Each structure stands twice: as structure tokens, then as C-alpha cells.
Amino acid sequence: MADIPAGTAVLRQFNTSLVLAAVRQARRPLRISEIISVTRLTRPTVAQAIEELKTGGLVVESTDSPDGVRQGRPAAVFELRTGVDPVLGIDLGPHAVKARLSDLGGNTLAASARAVAGPHDAVAVLAGVRRVIDSCLRDANLDSAQIADVVVGSPGVVDPVAGRLRLAPSMRGWETFNITSHLEKEFRCRVHLENDANLAAVAAASRLPGRTIIAIQWGARLGAGIVINGMLHRGKDNAAGEVGLISFDDNLAFDRDGSGPLEAQIGSTGMINLARHEFSGVPTTRLRSNRKLTATDVFSAAAEGDERAIAVLDHTTRVLARALSPVILALNPDIVVISGGIAHAGDVLLEHLRRHLQARTYWVPELELSEYAEHTVVIGSVELARQHTWDRRLAAAKQKLELSEYTERTATNGGPELAW
Amino acid sequence: MADIPAGTAVLRQFNTSLVLAAVRQARRPLRISEIISVTRLTRPTVAQAIEELKTGGLVVESTDSPDGVRQGRPAAVFELRTGVDPVLGIDLGPHAVKARLSDLGGNTLAASARAVAGPHDAVAVLAGVRRVIDSCLRDANLDSAQIADVVVGSPGVVDPVAGRLRLAPSMRGWETFNITSHLEKEFRCRVHLENDANLAAVAAASRLPGRTIIAIQWGARLGAGIVINGMLHRGKDNAAGEVGLISFDDNLAFDRDGSGPLEAQIGSTGMINLARHEFSGVPTTRLRSNRKLTATDVFSAAAEGDERAIAVLDHTTRVLARALSPVILALNPDIVVISGGIAHAGDVLLEHLRRHLQARTYWVPELELSEYAEHTVVIGSVELARQHTWDRRLAAAKQKLELSEYTERTATNGGPELAW
DNA sequence: GAGGAAAACGAAGCGTTCTTTCCTATTCCT
DNA sequence: AGGAATAGGAAAGAACGCTTCGTTTTCCTC
């Protein structure tokens, strides 16, 4: 903590981060005159800020020839220094572990996935984690010491300070195991633990900045991540979005999988049980009861018009709509994004869900399937790790602006003419 | 819009608003040395800022002798100039209109309430509004031209830009009537329309800064206001918090009062119907079926142990818990505050509600009855009007800081070590 | 009652930053 | 080859905050 008396130095830092933000928001290399028009600063100021950012390693002079005007002395163009500080995202799914490596610019360097015996076998899961990490590092030709940030996604309610799970009935034994400090022994950076649905929400929020989003992570388990005006909402106990615990029979109980009432009903295993029951003794050409039935089978059959598959789909989406409608009425979100393996189901899913929501909510939000499907959580992990790294980089430039914590917070969100 | 090249002037303005924020947050007159220690600015800077704020009419030198140290040359103390810019709050309730007049410091100058024929009679409501406003102005010895801001609370979904109600089945005819422009003819200031439950939430948020709150406005109608980390959440269509429309029978319909399914069941009229049915033919000493039954009667009977009243209470709170539990699981709020006439019920209500929530949510939030009870909405109106006025006052000092809109917004809420 | 200590107030000098202004450098077009 | 257009660089001027010093006012002690 530097001495507080700051003087005009804060101005310098403020303007520098203004320039940095301008360069960051643009998706292409920027020339100085463009930065001037965006930030409305003068040329010497911008030049000095760029110089500072260059020596600080935050931006580099791009070698590409600038776009646009092709007359006069060619301008130097600057962009973020992205091909450095690789970050790692890990998804501890119930049946598979995934890892993904990306640079600061968001370019994927490597990805790996691996099925694991089961969520209850901590040793097997840890071994799987080690293998997918090693695979990624090998593919990208990187050493673990070079990684700048790691984010681990997991079902359950996480304790971000302790780095443990506070509630994870589906992963017995994990509550007492501190996975972040375990992994931090191998990396030179911090390892963050985050709820998987929250990461799916981060992935959605990065595509939809500033919006209010309910991200439904729907696979074997069911969870939601809540994004309010672009900001992830974690809740008082970091337990926001635990919609899997919604119950209709006035009785909150976990079944033997550790599933809450709602996810037991419409999580993929619950859904398959329902389908198996529906199809019992009635083997069709596509859906034979002796083959291992998957959720995808049900959806493709529904898309082809199979009545019994449609019945399963209809029931499932009705239950989800019933559970979500109070949340949608309370939040009035812009959009509901559905991720997880179920996102392969296609528009059939959305059509049924929309119909059931229309019967229960006055303003039906936009509905969307995550294009990342079952990879949404890993991608959200990588995205969050990138944000952590950026925040840390920017922290130096922001030191003094902590003063802005004195800026009062009003209770209103700002009406049209009141936003400042 | 002044010329953009700003230079060190933005520093001046930044420091000036820092000083203003410090003075505003303190609830007592502040001496300059106190402002120095809070803002960590130097004396000349603070002195200059104070001088600027004094000439701008935002702060005044208090005549009170300063607290604390009583040695040395007595320090001048400064405080906000509050005894000016009176603001008006209005509550257009279903059965009564209320008005309340306050100064910028939050001191109530006058208050008035009046029963009206019914919410469907627009003429009667307007006449009532005029009378409560006139009564307040007369009591406070003020002229309408002196009012600095007006906020009108009403059930239904408001359109803040148009100043009309976009959905208000309970107030037929109001959708086409532009109440704000009607009132703006009488005042020299802007008139804002806001949902009543949102105003109850504003009232709660002003007592609980920075918290996540579900404010339940529970009277004849039932609505919620959602506050996320101290900020009112309005939702995409300004329709957040419309929990009165939650349905359990998969059918969203309005009854002839214009009530949604949930409010038809447990709004005060629905509750009284239930009680009347419960007590029919079984007149007790306290609750005779021939007297007009009120919700308060039911609660006081329940508090005294009347089994049938307890049954009504139990049923009502169970229905509310069932409707709210998905919202609570999704948001994991700090607290649920219940306002409206029902808040007179006392702790019996909270105990039953808590019990029913415990069966449905893993982390039960704090529960509280609004101390303002049926006056919560008017008080929230006044609070919001005060905030509007402050924001407008501050706008001048903030002009240049609009630049901060370039400060990027990350999708995360900021982990422990990431907040800046 | 006089002197000292403590706190507040006021003013001058200094350093940093941004802005303005002018000039030079490079490239394309005619 | 020369003009136009754009980029880059340097110096002067202005505004601001920080530091330092001296002055004023009150309380406490002797």
C-alpha cells in the first residue's frame, strides 16, 4: 500500500486504465487516434498511457498493418498482450472430469476430458483430474508453473474462502477435502473453487454482457447460475441458484444420489427412469428397452414424433417450468440459457418449455440452448480464470482508485435519466 | 456538455464528490480534520472542496459546537444542507391513498391518508390524491412549486418512461391514464411512477444497505421487491417481483378483482374468505361471524391460541412458503422483509412462515416484519424521491466522471480478494 | 492572570499532470 | 516530383494537489 497522498498521480492512473479499457473493449488492434476518439483524451495523454502500458506488459504494438485509412504516415496499432498467462479451467462433473487451457485472449490451447468411475470415489476423481491436466499441459507444451490461474467447477455449494465444498451430497467425502490447497501445491498460482452452474452462468454472461440471465446447468444434476445485469449473484451463503432443491411435496429431502427433489425428478437419470417406465414392454424401433437408454435418445425420438418420448419430454419440461416460474416471475430476466448435455436436444426442448412457461409467467423470457452444451462449465471455468487474471493485472493500475469505495451506493438501479 | 478535455479538473471534481460522500455518510456534522482522516486527502484539498460545496449549496456550516475534542481552536463543522428541497411520496393503495412530505434529511414534515371508494373508480382516487396532497402541503406550510421531487407508488407493472401502468388488472382504466404527466402539471418537478412493492423494497434497503432483500408487500394484493446487494432490481420489463402471479395449478389467470393466483389465495381478502369459511357456524367469543372480519382479527386470535385461526394462519403461510421457496433457493437472500397491514400480525406470522420455509429451503433467510407496516410504501416513495433529488444535486458534480462508463464490467461479483 | 500546549486555519513554493501549439516524419495520390 | 493527409514528437502554459511554514484561537496548568 503506497502512501495515500496521491495528487495528480491518480489522474494518470485513471486515464491509463481508461485507455486500457478502450483497447480491451475493441476486438481489434487500435491506433492512437482511435483511442483518442473513444476516450476523448488528448494525444500526449494517450501516448503516455500507451507507453506506460507497454512497459507494464499489458499491451503490445501489433505488427499487423492497421485497418481503415491507408493514407499518410502509417499509424502504430496496439492490442492487448494476450498470448501469455495461460489459464486452466477444470470441470469436476458427476461422471467425467474435463480440463481446458486457454490464453488470456481466450484462444483455446488444449482440452481434455475423461470419464471417471463415479462421483463418490474421490481417489478416482483425483486421478482423473491429474490425467486431464497433464494431457492439456503436454498438448500445449506448457509447464504447470506457467499457469496464471486455475478455476475448478464442481456441483454443490462452495466455500470460496476455505476452498472447500460446504454442501455436496452427491460427492460424499469432498466436503472435508480441500481441493484448492491440494492443487495449489502443483501450481504457482491461486486455485479457485466455484459452483458448476455459476460457471455456466459466467460462460453465458460473457456472451451477453450486462444482461440478467438464469443459466440452467442441466445434466445428471440440476443447478442454476443467476446473473443480474452482467454480475454473477452468489447469494448470502454462496448458495444462490440451488434450484435442484425445489420441492413440490413440501418436503426437502435428498435421495440416495444426494439429489434434491427437483433434480431427482428431471435430472438426466430421473428422466431416463421415467422414459424406461414409459417404454417398458413397448419396444419401438428406435428405443429398445434392452439398450442403455440416454437422454439424447429420448429427445431424438421426440423430434421424430414418437408419442411416448414426447410424453416424457412434456412431463419433464412441465416440471421444470413449474419450478422455474416463481423465479422467473420474481426476477423477470432477459433470458434463460440451458446448458449441459441436454442442450443437444435441440429446439424441441425449448418449444415445450416455452409452452409450459407461457401458462405460468406473464412475460416469458428469451430461451436459448448453450452452444457449448456439456462443455459449458469448463468454458465458464476458463472464462472466470481469464477474468481473475485480468483483474490481477489491472489491480496495480487501480490501487489508488480504491478511494472510489467512498462513492455512495444508492438503493435504486437508476432510472432512465438518473444513471451516472 | 462542456468541452471534454478535462485535465486536472476531473481530479478536483472527483475529490469534491469524495468529500461530499464523506459528509453524507456521516450522520453528524463533520469537522475538516475528520473529513481528512476519512478521505485521506490533505487539508487544503478538503478545504477547497468544502468551499466549493458551500457555494454550490450542498453543505452548510453547522452552528452546533463540534463533538469530541474540546481543546484548541474550535473547528468549524459542516453538514449537508437538508432542511430544503422537500419531497413528496404518494401511495395509491387499493383502498386508501397516502401522502407524506419530507425534507432532504429524511425528516417527515407532514403525512396524510384517506380511504377511497375503490380502486376501480379513477375519479374518486384522483380526488383522494388531491386531498391528501393538499393536506400535507397545508400542514407543512408549503407550496406545490417548492416540491423537489414526487414519487407515486401503485400496484401493477409500471412503465417508467411513459409514466403509465403497463399491467394493472386491479386498477382498470389506469393503464390508459398517464398519472405522472397529470401530476406534473401541478408541480415544478418530475413525477415518477413506481411499483408499490419496489418502494417497500427501497424502504427496506435504506435500512439494510448493501444487502440482498426480498421485500414482500402483503395486503389486499401481494407483490415483491427484489434488492440485490443494495440495488433495486427492476427486471427486463420492469416486471420483477410479480410473485402475486405465481400459480400452483399450472394456470395463470386473473380473478375478477384482477388478482393473480397467489394473491387471490392469500391476499388479505382471500385470507378473510378462508377465515370466514373456517369460522362459519362456529362463532367464538372473539370472532363472531356477523362482525366484519379483518386479517388482524385472525392473527390476534391465533396469538391467543384459537385453533381455527391458527389453521388459517398455518395454511396461509404454507402457501406463501411454497411460492417463495423457489425464489429463495434461487437468490439465497440475506433477508425477507414483510410489509403491509399484515405486519401488525406480530411474531406468530414469522414463526409459522419460518417453519414452513425450513421444510423447503436449505438456508432459511432472516425474516423480519417491516416496522412501518402499512406505511412502508409511502415511506419508500419518500425515500426514493430523496434519492432522486440527491442524484440530481450530485449530477452537476459528476458530469465529467461519466467517463467512468468506460470502466469495464466484469461478469463476476468479485471474490474476496478481487473486489476493487 | 500569564504562559504553554493543542488544534485549526491560511498562504506560499514545488512537483506532477494535462492541454495547447507548433513542427517534423511518412505515405498516398496526382 | 510535389501536395495532401495522417501520425508522431517536443515545448510552453495552466490547473491541481502536496508539503511546509506561520498565525489564530481556545483550553489547561501553574
Side-chain angles (χ1 to χ4, degrees), chain B residues 28 38 54 56 59 87 111 121 157 190 198 203 205 216 228 245 268 277 319 338 389 414 420:
Chain B
R28 58 188 175 79
V38 171
K54 257 169 47 181
V59 305
V87 297
D121 187 352
V157 176
R190 291 223 37 188
N198 281 357
I216 304 287
I228 306 280
L245 306 185
S268 62
H277 180 262
V319 171
I338 293 177
T389 308
W420 44 266

Side-chain angles (χ1 to χ4, degrees), chain A residues 93-238:
Chain A
H95 301 115
V97 292
K98 300 192 186 75
R100 200 178 184 94
L101 208 49
S102 158
D103 68 14
L104 254 190
N107 308 304
T108 301
L109 305 176
S112 176
R114 189 175 174 79
V116 292
H120 291 186
D121 186 351
V123 178
V125 171
L126 270 184
V129 167
R130 180 171 303 274
R131 292 189 63 161
V132 290
I133 291 176
D134 287 347
S135 166
C136 281
L137 290 174
R138 205 173 332 110
D139 288 356
N141 198 24
L142 286 171
D143 187 78
S144 64
Q146 299 175 266
I147 304 300
D149 202 271
V150 179
V151 170
V152 181
S154 158
V157 177
V158 305
D159 184 336
V161 185
R164 290 187 294 110
L165 288 164
R166 273 229 314 280
L167 173 71
S170 67
M171 305 184 84
R172 225 158 294 150
W174 283 99
E175 276 108 335
T176 56
F177 181 69
N178 190 321
I179 184 148
T180 64
S181 55
H182 177 83
L183 285 177
E184 272 173 357
K185 287 174 195 145
E186 314 200 12
F187 295 95
R188 290 229 184 108
C189 61
R190 290 222 39 186
V191 177
H192 307 266
L193 184 63
E194 184 59 85
N195 173 270
D196 57 353
N198 281 357
L199 293 174
V202 169
S206 70
R207 288 189 309 107
L208 304 162
R211 313 280 292 278
T212 295
I213 306 165
I214 298 179
I216 304 288
Q217 168 66 19
W218 193 357
R221 308 194 59 84
L222 185 82
I226 311 289
V227 176
I228 306 281
N229 297 326
M231 305 247 298
L232 180 63
H233 176 70
R234 288 196 170 84
K236 181 186 115 196
D237 311 288
N238 276 283

Side-chain angles (χ1 to χ4, degrees), chain B residues 234-317:
Chain B
R234 289 195 169 86
K236 182 186 115 196
D237 311 287
N238 276 283
E242 284 298 315
V243 295
L245 306 185
I246 293 176
S247 64
F248 299 105
D249 57 354
D250 297 353
N251 184 20
L252 175 63
F254 297 97
D255 74 357
R256 66 198 141 106
D257 292 348
S259 293
L262 181 63
E263 51 193 355
Q265 274 190 68
I266 63 168
S268 62
T269 50
M271 188 160 46
I272 288 165
N273 286 342
L274 186 71
R276 198 172 290 140
H277 180 262
E278 187 80 20
F279 294 124
S280 68
V282 196
T284 66
T285 48
R286 277 195 61 83
L287 295 156
R288 287 165 304 165
S289 53
N290 57 347
R291 185 159 71 86
K292 191 164 170 16
L293 201 61
T294 69
T296 317
D297 295 333
V298 179
F299 284 110
S300 50
E304 290 175 13
D306 184 297
E307 282 182 20
R308 291 176 299 276
I310 289 178
V312 172
L313 184 63
D314 190 65
H315 175 77
T316 308
T317 52

Side-chain angles (χ1 to χ4, degrees), chain B residues 4-331:
Chain B
I4 293 300
T8 50
V10 305
L11 239 193
R12 163 68 71 92
Q13 291 187 334
F14 182 73
N15 286 339
T16 304
S17 48
L18 223 57
V19 169
L20 180 60
V23 174
R24 193 181 175 187
Q25 280 188 345
R27 294 281 167 184
R28 58 188 175 79
L30 241 49
R31 58 181 67 192
I32 286 190
S33 39
E34 289 170 317
I35 301 175
I36 291 170
S37 64
V38 171
T39 60
R40 320 201 76 160
L41 300 170
T42 55
R43 178 177 295 276
T45 307
V46 173
Q48 201 166 10
I50 284 286
E51 197 56 35
E52 202 170 307
L53 292 169
K54 257 169 47 181
T55 60
L58 287 158
V59 305
V60 288
E61 186 168 348
S62 171
T63 54
D64 302 357
S65 60
D67 309 349
V69 190
R70 295 291 314 138
Q71 203 169 8
R73 173 174 173 173
V77 288
F78 301 90
E79 61 186 340
L80 293 179
R81 186 154 154 264
T82 56
V84 288
D85 289 357
V87 297
L88 179 66
I90 298 172
D91 174 14
L92 258 54
H95 301 116
V97 292
K98 301 193 187 76
R100 200 178 184 95
L101 207 50
S102 158
D103 67 15
L104 254 190
N107 308 304
T108 302
L109 305 175
S112 175
R114 189 174 174 78
V116 291
H120 293 186
D121 187 352
V123 178
V125 171
L126 271 183
V129 167
R130 179 171 303 274
R131 292 190 63 159
V132 289
I133 291 177
D134 286 347
S135 166
C136 280
L137 290 174
R138 206 174 331 111
D139 288 358
N141 198 25
L142 285 170
D143 187 78
S144 64
Q146 298 175 268
I147 305 298
D149 202 271
V150 179
V151 170
V152 180
S154 158
V157 176
V158 304
D159 183 337
V161 185
R164 290 187 292 111
L165 288 164
R166 273 230 313 280
L167 173 71
S170 67
M171 303 185 87
R172 226 159 294 153
W174 282 98
E175 276 107 333
T176 55
F177 180 69
N178 191 321
I179 184 148
T180 65
S181 56
H182 176 83
L183 285 176
E184 271 171 358
K185 287 173 195 146
E186 314 201 12
F187 294 96
R188 290 229 184 107
C189 60
R190 291 223 37 188
V191 177
H192 307 266
L193 184 63
E194 184 59 84
N195 171 272
D196 56 352
N198 281 357
L199 293 174
V202 168
S206 70
R207 288 190 309 108
L208 304 163
R211 312 281 292 278
T212 295
I213 306 164
I214 298 178
I216 304 287
Q217 168 65 17
W218 194 356
R221 309 193 59 83
L222 186 82
I226 311 288
V227 176
I228 306 280
N229 297 326
M231 306 248 297
L232 180 62
H233 177 70
R234 289 195 169 86
K236 182 186 115 196
D237 311 287
N238 276 283
E242 284 298 315
V243 295
L245 306 185
I246 293 176
S247 64
F248 299 105
D249 57 354
D250 297 353
N251 184 20
L252 175 63
F254 297 97
D255 74 357
R256 66 198 141 106
D257 292 348
S259 293
L262 181 63
E263 51 193 355
Q265 274 190 68
I266 63 168
S268 62
T269 50
M271 188 160 46
I272 288 165
N273 286 342
L274 186 71
R276 198 172 290 140
H277 180 262
E278 187 80 20
F279 294 124
S280 68
V282 196
T284 66
T285 48
R286 277 195 61 83
L287 295 156
R288 287 165 304 165
S289 53
N290 57 347
R291 185 159 71 86
K292 191 164 170 16
L293 201 61
T294 69
T296 317
D297 295 333
V298 179
F299 284 110
S300 50
E304 290 175 13
D306 184 297
E307 282 182 20
R308 291 176 299 276
I310 289 178
V312 172
L313 184 63
D314 190 65
H315 175 77
T316 308
T317 52
R318 184 192 298 121
V319 171
L320 182 64
R322 195 183 293 165
L324 283 188
S325 60
V327 182
I328 290 173
L329 283 167
L331 284 182

